[in-house]
Amino acid sequence: MAAANLASNPPSLPRTLNRAIPKPFFLKPISTLKPRWVTRAVLSTSEPKTQKFQHCFSKSEDGFLYCEGVKVEDVMRSAEKRPFYLYSKSQITRNVEAYKDALEGLDSIIGYAIKANNNLKILEHLRKLGCGAVLVSGNELKLALHAGFDPARCIFNGNGKILEDLVVAAQEGVFVNIDSEFDLENIVEAARISGKKVNVLLRINPDVDPQVHPYVATGNKNSKFGIRNEKLQWFLDAIKAHPKELKLVGAHCHLGSTITKVDIFRDAAVLMVAFIDQIRAQGFEIDFLNIGGGLGIDYYHSGAILPSPRDLIDTVRELVVSRNLNLIIEPGRSLIANTCCLVNRVTGVKTNGTKNFIVIDGSMSELIRPSLYDAYQHIELASPTPSDSKVSTFDVVGPVCESADFLGKNRELPTPPKGCGLVVHDAGAYCMSMASTYNLKMRPPEYWVEEDGRLSKIRHAEMFDDHLRFFEGL
């Protein structure tokens, strides 16, 4: 079947959220699969399993919170008296090793998604551990090069890449994803300006529902990302027309973020290898399948058994091997989120008669996920409270002049004394990288606990003078 006709016939499966894909679907030979339908993953009906939650942050029997054996309260005494991020360097290493172990036996690239956390020291550590980098802006590309990442292990994504940045990507030899007709035109122009042929992947929108918050779903038909399936042949013809500028080396998809069901990755991989079969049939040498990232974590600290990197890789392994493909994955959250917490100090406790509030010095300016996505992140006190402290239900809020300024709602906590430490867990991803200076709350410092237990600063705090510097000489 010609690639131009991939979406020309009516779907052979119902387009519904409520019906499972029949089991024989996965038992058919891959060559018979036609990527024409919308795959909808189905929620599991089994009872959730639980396990003792393992974390680099742990509570001792006496009620103190520790990071890799270092008491958080001691860190608060030595750190600047303001909100700060605290990481475990060892946990970052463990998370990377889990992916490397899962990928054993496969030719692969672990492309860390820099948008999740762009701290230079963390990037240098990930590079030393063997990671590549996934980039979604020109500045992320420059930062990856500054951090020493191998350009041949970097992938430049994005639906609005500009020519100047694409020229740098072409000159450095990074992979570039084609996301649209105008994106292809800009990549061709960048190749001509740089005098370099660009290795490109087609970002195909498989229209797979990842069952996540709509703001972090990127692979369905309403997404701004990727090319439409029915336009595939147009892009293949356009690439054929530019043999001096473009070399098509792979196909890419990205479903979304906070995904907790690995069958969704399998659904997408089945469709993607079928697309690759069609592309190869037209003479293209396709070596890479990029299945994106998006593996979720246990933000609730409920002990739920969520998919591991090995679960993810195992669900697509046979498909990758059957096509002799190099696998690219793009983890961000699952590499860095659980390595960090935002450490705050309690300013005071108040009530409005119907609700109780713990007011802290941190805010939506330092950590916006709860305000932006209504996301849940686990909150606890860093030290024990007096024995007579009453346990109540609180909203944990900051000082920013917005009703949306909250870090958590309806949390049962002992009433904390003024100055007590309060931490928001799993803050390594999409927290500091999304921080702002709203209300002129300057971005916080970052620290990590080294492998030997030493505390090191890995980012300076922004100061008021930094703000004034933008206006010097005007």
Side-chain angles (χ1 to χ4, degrees):
M1 181 179 71
N5 298 322
L6 288 178
S8 60
N9 299 320
S12 57
L13 289 178
R15 302 171 68 89
T16 175
L17 284 169
N18 301 316
R19 184 173 175 183
I21 298 171
K23 287 184 179 179
F25 174 81
F26 291 129
L27 300 179
K28 296 178 182 179
I30 297 298
S31 60
T32 69
L33 296 177
K34 300 179 182 180
R36 299 185 275 111
W37 50 78
V38 178
T39 301
R40 302 296 189 193
V42 178
L43 292 172
S44 171
T45 58
S46 60
E47 290 295 318
K49 299 177 182 179
T50 60
Q51 63 182 354
K52 183 175 175 57
F53 189 79
Q54 301 295 318
H55 206 273
C56 54
F57 291 91
S58 59
K59 269 282 180 73
S60 63
E61 291 184 1
D62 58 4
F64 286 95
L65 184 67
Y66 287 80
C67 175
E68 303 287 0
V70 176
K71 189 183 288 187
V72 172
E73 190 175 78
D74 291 342
V75 177
M76 292 174 66
R77 292 193 185 101
S78 60
E80 297 159 74
K81 194 174 182 182
R82 59 189 293 175
F84 62 89
Y85 283 97
L86 178 63
Y87 298 81
S88 161
K89 188 177 183 181
S90 295
Q91 186 66 53
I92 297 172
T93 301
R94 290 193 290 266
N95 290 348
V96 173
E97 291 300 324
Y99 270 102
K100 290 169 73 173
D101 290 346
L103 288 161
E104 187 176 2
L106 293 178
D107 292 324
S108 61
I109 295 175
I110 302 172
Y112 168 67
I114 289 181
K115 66 176 183 170
N117 187 309
N118 56 33
N119 183 289
L120 178 60
K121 296 301 180 183
I122 291 174
L123 297 184
E124 290 173 342
H125 182 54
L126 290 168
R127 185 259 302 164
K128 291 175 183 176
L129 293 171
C131 290
V134 173
L135 325 160
V136 292
S137 74
N139 282 339
E140 286 190 357
L141 169 58
K142 294 171 186 174
L143 186 62
L145 297 173
H146 184 82
F149 283 94
D150 179 358
R153 297 175 64 80
C154 293
I155 304 95
F156 192 14
N157 290 339
N159 68 303
K161 301 183 286 292
I162 62 174
L163 181 59
E164 292 86 347
D165 297 335
L166 286 168
V167 170
V168 176
Q171 290 171 338
E172 297 294 335
V174 308
F175 292 107
V176 180
N177 272 334
I178 298 175
D179 192 88
S180 65
E181 292 88 344
F182 68 79
D183 196 35
L184 186 146
E185 292 174 5
N186 284 335
I187 297 168
V188 169
E189 182 63 19
R192 290 170 177 166
I193 293 171
S194 66
K196 300 283 187 70
K197 182 181 288 191
V198 181
N199 288 325
V200 295
L201 293 86
L202 275 172
R203 178 164 182 170
I204 300 173
N205 188 331
D207 199 12
V208 172
D209 179 10
Q211 300 179 16
V212 296
H213 191 288
Y215 288 4
V216 293
T218 59
N220 56 46
K221 66 181 180 181
N222 296 318
S223 174
K224 70 176 184 177
F225 301 102
I227 68 170
R228 292 177 295 150
N229 297 346
E230 60 267 27
K231 289 281 290 185
L232 177 60
Q233 188 61 51
W234 185 94
F235 282 93
L236 295 178
D237 291 341
I239 293 169
K240 289 176 185 176
H242 296 95
K244 295 181 180 179
E245 294 87 4
L246 306 177
K247 181 180 180 182
L248 181 60
V249 298
H252 171 276
C253 70
H254 195 292
L255 306 180
S257 194
T258 68
I259 298 171
T260 57
K261 299 181 185 306
V262 293
D263 284 351
I264 292 171
F265 291 99
R266 168 76 182 194
D267 293 347
V270 167
L271 297 174
M272 292 302 294
V273 297
F275 282 124
I276 287 173
D277 287 345
Q278 298 294 332
I279 296 169
R280 281 177 167 174
Q282 298 193 37
F284 292 98
E285 296 180 6
I286 300 297
D287 297 320
F288 295 91
L289 170 62
N290 185 333
I291 61 168
L295 194 63
I297 68 165
D298 184 8
Y299 278 110
Y300 285 84
H301 289 209
S302 63
I305 299 179
L306 298 181
S308 66
R310 181 169 294 279
D311 293 328
L312 189 162
I313 301 305
D314 283 352
T315 199
V316 301
R317 179 183 294 273
E318 65 183 81
L319 292 168
V320 174
V321 171
S322 71
R323 299 305 190 276
N324 193 28
L325 291 164
N326 292 273
L327 180 65
I328 301 175
I329 57 171
E330 302 180 347
R333 184 187 318 274
S334 57
L335 281 183
I336 198 70
N338 71 353
T339 70
C340 173
C341 68
L342 176 67
V343 182
N344 312 271
R345 287 176 172 82
V346 173
T347 304
V349 177
K350 64 177 291 187
T351 181
N352 63 8
T354 58
K355 290 188 75 73
N356 301 316
F357 300 92
I358 297 175
V359 184
I360 59 175
D361 56 357
S363 70
M364 65 184 291
S365 294
E366 291 85 8
L367 196 153
I368 198 173
R369 290 187 71 254
S371 300
L372 182 62
Y373 303 124
D374 199 26
Y376 181 99
Q377 292 184 229
H378 187 61
I379 292 174
E380 64 180 323
L381 302 179
S383 57
T385 56
S387 58
D388 60 351
S389 294
K390 181 182 178 182
V391 175
S392 297
T393 301
F394 295 96
D395 283 5
V396 179
V397 300
V400 163
C401 192
E402 294 283 347
S403 294
D405 180 27
F406 64 90
L407 284 300
K409 289 185 175 181
N410 300 317
R411 306 300 178 90
E412 285 197 5
L413 293 164
T415 303
K418 182 179 179 180
C420 178
L422 178 147
V423 304
V424 182
H425 280 289
D426 304 310
Y430 305 103
C431 293
M432 182 59 175
S433 66
M434 298 177 77
S436 74
T437 57
Y438 186 48
N439 283 198
L440 275 186
K441 283 178 61 52
M442 311 312 292
R443 279 180 280 257
E446 294 178 286
Y447 300 84
W448 67 15
V449 175
E450 304 266 10
E451 290 94 338
D452 60 4
R454 289 181 298 113
L455 181 71
S456 297
K457 181 183 282 189
I458 58 173
R459 178 175 173 141
H460 294 295
E462 293 183 19
M463 309 299 288
F464 178 67
D465 287 347
D466 295 319
H467 179 72
L468 295 181
R469 199 167 293 124
F470 292 114
F471 308 96
E472 290 178 357
L474 300 180

